[in-house]
């Protein structure tokens, strides 16, 4: 997430520049951003913005570049050589990023290292899908394996029985050459935000997601709390980070069943995630990421899991409200339940750390919440995929004072 990264680096004395699109939640309005430029959205994995971004970098040299969204991370990975020729990158080595983004490879690695992982199978057609479902049993979850694309408009499909599988997946999605079918473990997602140097864990924060922006628990966290490290989660993170010789910031995710204690690995996002709550809990991952990228020494605690405060609560109010609004509109929530949830959302908003709202930097949040009313004035030509820079001629005397370029995803 761009907001905590921009704030932390600006407060550390660096100039922060931002590439923004209509998906950037008015990051350009933040007082921690020195300047910004516009480009077309990077989602869903398009490359139209590349000439615009490279043109800006050629005219305004920077020292460090950091992607702060999944789309941004994949975008820079596809064009890594072009970006590395212009600045240092705050992200892991190319081989590490490629491994982390390939769920099949990560699952094989978990099996090799003994990291907690629920039974699963790789499938490449409908015959294999039904055979895997019969072998694993219901409930199960179906998720993409190697392609960064949704599965029938969802990040993953939770399937209760054969009838639901037939409805949810009537045919094979052509964009996916391979899918993963896995036993479904019921429980909240536990995310570990960590910083590491050549496989040595510097600091880590475990966050339990109590709510997400999807009704079935998939999607982005809308309410989370920092908790004591779960033994199998901690063990899994340490094994994976060491084996990958991981350097930079990352987010490892697991599912933990609160009743049986069963744990299963989900994925590692090789980028910053849940940045606000981890920074507020005590993990200085933004500054550490910059230091790692520029080969500066880091003084880390002997126990990387002692770096954070437990019980810090986080809320993404816009995500909560959006989900509740959809469910009310579809008749999935009764009036009494809707009122109870709305009250709880209000209480959490008053008591928790916010995803983007900062009382000392309120404009981005105000823009995000009023977007439905003001977005018409955001329709600038630079946001269109067919827009190209007028000139590649460098401007005189470019600003260069340890700035950092960031790109933000659509999240309020």
């Amino acid at each position: 997430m761009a907001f905590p990264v921009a704030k932390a680096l600006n407060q550390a004395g660096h100039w922060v520049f931002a590439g923004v699109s209509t998906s950037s939640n008015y990051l350009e309005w933040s007082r921690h951003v020195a300047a910004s430029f516009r480009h077309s959205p990077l989602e869903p994995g398009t490359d139209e913005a590349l000439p615009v971004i490279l043109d800006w970098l050629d005219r305004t040299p920077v020292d460090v570049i950091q992607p702060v969204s999944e789309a941004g991370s994949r975008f820079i990975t596809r064009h890594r050589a072009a970006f590395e020729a212009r600045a240092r990158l705050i992200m892991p080595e190319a081989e590490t990023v490629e491994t982390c983004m390939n769920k099949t490879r990560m699952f094989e690695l978990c099996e090799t290292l003994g990291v907690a992982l629920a039974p699963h199978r790789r499938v490449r057609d409908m015959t294999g899908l039904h055979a895997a479902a019969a072998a694993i049993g219901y409930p199960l979850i179906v998720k993409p394996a190697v392609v960064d694309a949704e599965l029938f408009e969802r990040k993953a499909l939770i399937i209760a029985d054969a009838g639901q599988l037939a409805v949810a997946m009537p045919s094979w999605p052509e964009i996916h050459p391979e899918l993963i079918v896995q036993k479904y473990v019921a429980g909240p997602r536990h995310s570990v935000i960590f910083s590491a140097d050549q496989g040595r864990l510097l600091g880590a924060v475990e966050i339990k997601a109590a709510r997400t922006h999807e009704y079935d628990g998939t999607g982005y966290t809308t309410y989370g709390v920092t908790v004591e490290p779960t033994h199998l989660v901690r063990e899994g993170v340490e094994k994976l980070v060491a084996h990958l010789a991981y350097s930079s910031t990352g987010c490892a995710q697991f599912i933990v069943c609160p009743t049986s204690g069963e744990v299963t690995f989900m994925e590692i996002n090789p980028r910053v995630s849940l940045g606000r709550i981890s920074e507020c809990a005590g993990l200085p991952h933004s500054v550490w990421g910059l230091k790692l990228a520029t080969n500066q020494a880091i003084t880390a605690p002997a126990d990387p899991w002692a770096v954070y405060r437990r019980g810090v609560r986080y809320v993404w109010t816009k995500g909560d409200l959006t989900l509740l609004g959809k469910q009310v509109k579809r008749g999935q929530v009764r009036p009494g339940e809707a009122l109870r949830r709305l009250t709880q959302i209000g209480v959490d908003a008053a008591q928790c750390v916010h995803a983007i709202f900062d009382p000392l930097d309120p404009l981005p949040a105000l823009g995000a919440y009023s977007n439905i009313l003001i977005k018409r004035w955001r329709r600038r030509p630079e946001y269109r995929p067919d827009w190209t820079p007028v000139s590649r001629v460098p401007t005189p005397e470019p600003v260069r004072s340890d700035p950092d370029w960031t790109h933000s995803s659509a999240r309020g």
Side-chain angles (χ1 to χ4, degrees), residues 90-410:
I90 301 181
M91 59 189 305
E93 296 296 325
E95 183 179 353
T96 303
V97 173
E98 182 180 350
T99 300
C100 290
M101 289 184 173
N102 188 318
K103 286 187 173 62
T104 298
R105 195 175 302 175
M106 287 301 296
F107 277 25
E108 292 173 348
L109 186 56
C110 286
E111 291 177 323
T112 300
L113 299 177
V115 175
L117 183 69
H120 70 284
R121 286 194 176 186
R122 299 159 54 187
V123 299
R124 297 183 175 86
D125 52 37
M126 294 299 291
T127 300
L129 174 69
H130 291 293
I136 292 174
Y138 296 94
L140 54 82
I141 185 168
V142 183
K143 62 183 77 174
V146 295
V147 175
D148 177 28
E150 291 188 335
L151 183 59
F152 295 101
E153 300 183 350
R154 301 299 298 275
K155 293 187 70 174
L157 301 176
I158 298 175
I159 306 297
D161 51 42
Q164 185 180 357
L165 179 61
V167 173
M169 287 195 61
S171 60
W172 185 264
E174 294 184 1
I175 194 173
H176 290 285
E178 180 175 291
L179 297 173
I180 291 176
V181 180
Q182 187 175 30
K183 173 188 174 183
Y184 177 65
V185 177
R189 181 171 62 225
H190 284 233
S191 298
V192 175
I193 315 304
F194 64 87
S195 294
D197 182 13
Q198 296 297 318
R200 179 174 68 93
L201 201 61
L202 302 174
V205 178
E206 183 168 337
I207 303 163
K208 180 175 74 173
R211 298 195 301 265
T212 71
H213 85 301
E214 297 287 359
Y215 68 91
D216 59 3
T218 61
Y220 301 119
T221 302
T222 60
Y223 177 86
V225 59
T226 60
V227 297
E228 286 288 338
T230 305
H231 173 69
L232 289 177
V233 171
R234 174 174 179 161
E235 180 183 84
V237 170
E238 291 173 348
K239 287 181 177 179
L240 290 168
V241 166
H243 182 85
L244 292 168
Y246 199 105
S247 285
S248 194
T249 294
C251 174
Q253 296 185 328
F254 294 75
I255 296 294
V256 179
C257 179
T259 53
S260 68
E262 185 176 4
V263 174
T264 184
F265 171 80
M266 289 180 62
E267 62 183 356
I268 288 183
N269 292 315
R271 60 177 176 85
V272 63
S273 183
L274 292 171
R276 181 80 78 183
I277 185 172
S278 50
E279 290 274 3
C280 289
L283 178 66
H285 61 79
S286 299
V287 173
W288 281 1
L290 178 61
K291 287 186 174 182
L292 287 168
T294 54
N295 299 317
Q296 299 180 51
I298 294 176
T299 302
D303 178 5
W305 300 89
V307 73
Y308 72 100
R309 294 183 294 117
R310 278 61 163 170
V312 178
R313 295 186 296 156
Y314 159 96
V315 68
W316 177 31
T317 305
K318 186 179 179 182
D320 272 334
L321 291 174
T322 300
L323 174 60
L324 180 58
K326 288 180 180 178
Q327 291 181 312
V328 169
K329 186 176 181 180
R330 296 169 183 168
Q332 298 171 332
V333 178
R334 294 182 178 180
E337 173 64 13
L339 180 60
R340 185 195 67 78
R341 284 173 54 182
L342 185 61
T343 301
Q344 186 61 55
I345 290 172
V347 171
D348 292 338
Q351 297 179 345
C352 301
V353 173
H354 283 254
I356 63 172
F357 178 71
D358 184 338
L360 299 179
D361 186 28
L363 290 183
L366 293 176
Y369 280 88
S370 59
N371 182 60
I372 192 171
L373 301 175
I374 66 176
K375 62 182 179 181
R376 69 184 67 179
W377 289 285
R378 217 183 187 198
R379 295 172 184 166
R380 299 178 181 272
E382 299 97 318
Y383 292 136
R384 295 201 303 263
D386 58 352
W387 187 85
T388 55
V390 175
S391 171
R392 286 185 175 272
V393 179
T395 56
E397 299 182 3
V399 177
R400 188 181 180 89
S401 180
D402 250 348
D404 166 52
W405 177 81
T406 64
H407 171 78
S408 173
S409 66

